[in-house]
Amino acid sequence: MRTSKYLLSTLKETPASAEVISHQYMLRAGLVRPVASGLYTWLPTGLKVLKKVENIVREEMDKAGAIETLMPMVQPADLWQESGRWTDYGPELLRLEDRHHRPFVLGPTHEEVITKLISSELSSYKQLPINLYQIQTKFRDEIRPRFGVMRGREFLMKDAYSFHLSQECLNNTYQDMHSAYCNIFERLGLDFRPVIADTGSIGGDASHEFHVLADSGEDDIAFSDSSDYAANIEKAEALAPDTERGAATAELTKVATPNVHTIEDVSKFFDVAAKDVVKTLLVLGEHEEGETAPVVALVLRGDHELNEIKAEKISGIAAPLTFATDEQIKAVANCDAGSIGPAGLAIDIIVDRSAAVMADFICGANESGYHYTGANFDRDIHNYKVEDIRNVVAGDPSPCGNGKLTIKRGIEVGHIFQLGEKYADAMNAGVLTETGKNQTLTMGCYGIGVSRIVAAAIEQNHDENGIIWPDAIAPFKVVIIPMNMHKSHRVQETAEKLYAELTAAGVEVLFDDRKERPGVMFKDMELIGIPHAIVVGERNIDNAEVEYKNRRSGEKSLIAIDEAVNFVLNQ
RNA sequence: CGGUGAUUAGCGCAGCUUGGUAGCGCACUUGGUUUGGGUCCAAGGGGUCGCAAGUUCGAAUCUUGCAUCACCGACCA
């Protein structure tokens, strides 16, 4: 490709709307352009990268025995009513009507369509197991699209669905997909981790997310420093401390604490660490529709954070987790939010494992403007349950039993889970078994965010000059940068010759034949992130040489013109 | 959805306080100059100042409404 016949569309300045580095570089390097909030046009260079990612995903899925299909993006509402998600899915599901006023949705995922298909196409156990996938545009009407294509509303996704008669069979395919995903991210050249994940609202047994490690990631991942244990912080278990609770030595004493509300205020006021204070959060308990919700107290160490996912799974607590309003707090604890404490509360109390071993601690006194010191469980607080309701923190013991946890940020680029019979049951998908009986299928589902991978790859591979593509997904493998070609026949001849030879050898080569000064070309090509550059200039032609420059290492070397093509092929 | 801020040429911004012919840098076009890291000089083209209503002799500027874009947002108890 010659730049003179191409759409480079690079930008010198960073558009004000771009926050994260991948978004900035995707705009500046001419990969994408915004169309509306969360919607992007892929320019030629961006599309080349997207297609490369897509092809690697496709090849590995095929290799793992999955079969490609393509389902419609617009889906009839009745499929969603059949599965129950027409009401469950919420406002992320974009609903629309056709000219006959029939309701449709823009597909955020395709469990309904695929399960319906399977239920009509499969009839015998002999056809199982089967794993179908597609690479297709999804639409989710996100509350807040951000970070460019990282969290767009429309995005390209690979989604696969497998069907089985037994859990054991599902486990096998699940493992195959796990390995296929590892192969994919290795081929993409990304630093990634499979992590144990929450199964979310879908339920099911096993679930793993695949994260690309990057500081700008939206998820926290907990790792063991001495095993391969890794889990999303939503899921990582905080083990009970192995220390025994100390004996109560202090008297329960009420202290006036005017204008002291937050944990920070309290620890400053008493001059103690946040870990010596207890915080009490009031949330709504489980209740029937229309009934008044009971209130439940959650007790945590002052320096720990509540894990909502863990909390809402505890029986007696309403899901989704809902915090009590100021009025509800007043009614139950008879005070403002800043002075709640577990001592003397006549409601259900759930105490975090780490808070449960504290003794002689400080907590709210359920009277506005007062706290207790010297509070103790069992003596001052009764009828409580101990549960794991906090987020793990760095330094906690790993739940696997080996080592301590460290925490890093990750970008979720893949998610595999076992769905069980939920959809097959709702959509009536079953086959006849060997004994001639109808049996409902069990199902697995496996997603990869193809367009998000492009952004994640940039987050992980860039410097102050621009993108540094891993070779596997670079839009071009090599760029030819001629110095003042329009003034030198020798430079032009050499550059044209190399371009022809590289093209003939099947190398994806960009030939910067613009009538630009060298600095402009260097800057543009580094911004776009082409891994290898051949610089053709008068001064090296005298020795029958050209310069090679590596984008990642920045190293330069001189190579014989005759060797150049082979040299590039070997990179 | 709530809070905050923005909207003036393709991009980045000034002008608004104090109403009176719409500006700067980059990019683009033409000519010259320069030539191994975003040259320099000159001449040009490009804007219903987000939309609508109002105040006024006169609105980018003041008022009101709307739209769009962006950032922040339970972890406070």
Side-chain angles (χ1 to χ4, degrees):
Chain A
M1 180 61 67
R2 293 167 191 267
T3 47
S4 59
K5 306 244 160 80
Y6 191 65
L7 185 65
L8 267 185
S9 283
T10 53
L11 261 34
K12 241 187 210 177
E13 288 181 276
T14 304
S17 59
E19 184 78 358
V20 294
I21 203 82
S22 60
H23 191 194
Q24 293 175 359
Y25 280 153
M26 287 184 81
L27 293 169
R28 283 194 54 204
L31 268 53
V32 295
R33 288 290 179 261
V35 175
S37 182
L39 305 176
Y40 292 86
T41 290
W42 289 80
L43 297 175
T45 313
L47 186 62
K48 278 175 177 290
V49 178
L50 190 68
K51 291 277 178 196
K52 295 218 163 175
V53 175
E54 187 183 321
N55 280 332
I56 289 175
V57 171
R58 178 176 287 114
E59 284 173 22
E60 293 300 323
M61 289 302 291
D62 289 345
K63 209 183 284 179
I67 315 163
E68 187 166 7
T69 56
L70 186 59
M71 293 176 258
M73 188 183 175
V74 177
Q75 308 173 11
D78 56 356
L79 280 180
W80 286 72
Q81 281 153 355
E82 205 173 332
S83 73
R85 291 208 289 184
W86 177 255
T87 45
D88 292 352
Y89 209 92
E92 270 189 22
L93 182 64
L94 185 68
R95 296 148 213 255
L96 48 126
E97 282 187 352
D98 69 4
R99 57 166 61 183
H100 306 295
H101 304 295
R102 282 186 295 241
F104 286 85
V105 306
L106 280 190
T109 174
H110 283 71
E111 279 85 1
E112 282 80 1
V113 178
I114 193 82
T115 310
K116 198 70 183 174
L117 177 82
I118 288 294
S119 93
S120 63
E121 299 305 318
L122 295 197
S123 45
S124 161
Y125 72 95
K126 293 176 192 166
Q127 297 170 292
L128 293 176
I130 192 163
N131 189 1
L132 297 175
Y133 77 97
Q134 65 172 346
I135 296 172
Q136 197 240 24
T137 301
K138 298 278 188 269
F139 190 93
R140 292 181 190 169
D141 201 358
E142 296 278 351
I143 303 176
R144 180 140 99 88
R146 60 184 134 178
F147 305 152
V149 301
M150 193 96 90
R151 183 171 291 282
R153 290 193 292 175
E154 193 177 288
F155 56 98
L156 191 64
M157 182 172 173
K158 186 284 300 175
D159 48 326
Y161 308 89
S162 70
F163 295 87
H164 315 264
L165 270 185
S166 71
Q167 179 64 36
E168 190 192 356
C169 180
L170 170 58
N171 286 344
N172 289 338
T173 300
Y174 186 86
Q175 279 313 317
D176 290 346
M177 284 294 105
H178 192 287
S179 336
Y181 274 37
C182 289
N183 294 340
I184 287 167
F185 294 116
E186 257 157 45
R187 276 187 64 185
L188 289 170
L190 299 175
D191 183 15
F192 74 99
R193 289 300 145 74
V195 310
I196 300 165
D198 186 69
T199 47
S201 51
I202 293 166
D205 302 320
S207 178
H208 285 83
E209 289 167 357
F210 288 75
H211 282 262
V212 166
L213 302 182
D215 292 336
S216 56
E218 293 187 277
D219 289 293
D220 280 311
I221 312 298
F223 297 89
S224 166
D225 59 7
S226 40
S227 80
D228 57 4
Y229 176 86
N232 192 305
I233 200 161
E234 292 174 349
K235 183 77 175 176
E237 183 182 2
L239 297 176
D242 47 17
T243 48
E244 293 280 308
R245 183 196 297 160
T249 58
E251 293 283 313
L252 185 68
T253 313
K254 191 187 283 184
V255 180
T257 52
N259 296 318
V260 170
H261 302 291
T262 64
I263 290 297
E264 200 186 339
D265 294 342
V266 173
S267 57
K268 238 181 233 159
F269 184 90
F270 289 100
D271 194 24
V272 295
K275 70 177 180 55
D276 297 320
V277 181
V278 142
K279 66 177 163 192
T280 309
L281 288 69
L282 298 185
V283 300
L284 301 188
E286 271 176 325
H287 57 284
E288 295 296 320
E289 190 92 23
E291 274 181 28
T292 312
V295 175
V296 179
L298 305 177
V299 178
L300 292 150
R301 222 168 75 178
D303 60 328
H304 285 153
E305 281 181 4
L306 176 68
N307 180 315
E308 292 188 24
I309 307 257
K310 291 176 181 175
E312 68 187 25
K313 281 187 179 164
I314 293 171
S315 75
I317 294 181
L321 195 73
T322 314
F323 284 86
T325 62
D326 287 344
E327 292 75 42
Q328 287 166 320
I329 291 171
K330 194 90 188 167
V332 169
N334 196 33
C335 67
D336 298 327
S339 300
I340 309 171
L345 272 189
I347 55 175
D348 287 346
I349 299 174
I350 312 267
V351 179
D352 182 69
R353 288 167 172 175
S354 298
V357 298
M358 293 169 71
D360 296 339
F361 52 82
I362 296 167
C363 63
N366 299 319
E367 184 177 340
S368 292
Y370 289 88
H371 280 76
Y372 285 127
T373 62
N376 281 279
F377 288 107
D378 296 327
R379 189 191 69 186
D380 310 316
I381 302 151
H382 310 280
N383 299 325
Y384 57 90
K385 277 196 299 184
V386 178
E387 300 275 3
D388 170 25
I389 55 171
R390 71 172 172 95
N391 282 333
V392 292
V393 295
D396 278 347
S398 172
C400 68
N402 289 313
K404 288 186 184 329
L405 293 177
T406 56
I407 294 179
K408 286 187 188 173
R409 304 287 281 178
I411 301 166
E412 183 188 349
V413 289
H415 197 164
I416 58 178
F417 38 106
Q418 301 190 358
L419 291 175
E421 297 183 356
K422 174 173 173 172
Y423 294 96
D425 205 28
M427 322 287 295
N428 209 6
V431 295
L432 289 185
T433 64
E434 253 178 308
T435 56
K437 277 198 288 199
N438 198 357
Q439 187 182 329
T440 302
L441 299 177
T442 190
M443 191 173 167
C445 120
Y446 320 93
I448 286 185
V450 177
S451 45
R452 181 180 280 186
I453 283 173
V454 177
I458 296 171
E459 290 294 333
Q460 210 174 61
N461 296 281
H462 67 268
D463 63 13
E464 67 281 2
N465 292 316
I467 303 166
I468 308 174
W469 292 113
D471 280 52
I473 56 174
F476 297 96
K477 175 164 186 172
V478 57
V479 57
I480 297 171
I481 306 179
M483 300 289 103
N484 305 306
M485 184 169 73
H486 60 285
K487 283 271 182 73
S488 162
H489 283 294
R490 295 203 300 164
V491 169
Q492 181 165 12
E493 256 171 51
T494 308
E496 289 282 359
K497 176 171 165 279
L498 284 174
Y499 177 58
E501 288 174 4
L502 284 165
T503 304
V507 176
E508 288 173 292
V509 51
L510 184 64
F511 179 13
D512 199 347
D513 62 345
R514 292 176 296 173
K515 194 177 169 183
E516 282 289 356
R517 292 170 57 83
V520 174
M521 296 186 186
F522 284 128
K523 284 287 180 192
D524 269 347
M525 295 307 140
E526 282 167 9
L527 176 61
I528 295 168
I530 300 173
H532 310 285
I534 300 287
V535 183
V536 182
E538 272 286 338
R539 68 188 186 196
N540 293 320
I541 289 180
D542 290 339
N543 303 322
E545 287 177 329
V546 289
E547 183 182 290
Y548 164 79
K549 187 171 181 190
N550 185 285
R551 174 68 180 90
R552 190 173 290 271
S553 67
E555 283 166 26
K556 297 177 187 173
S557 54
L558 292 173
I559 48 176
I561 293 172
D562 293 344
E563 289 299 313
V565 172
N566 270 329
F567 184 88
V568 168
L569 284 172
N570 289 330
Q571 294 299 308

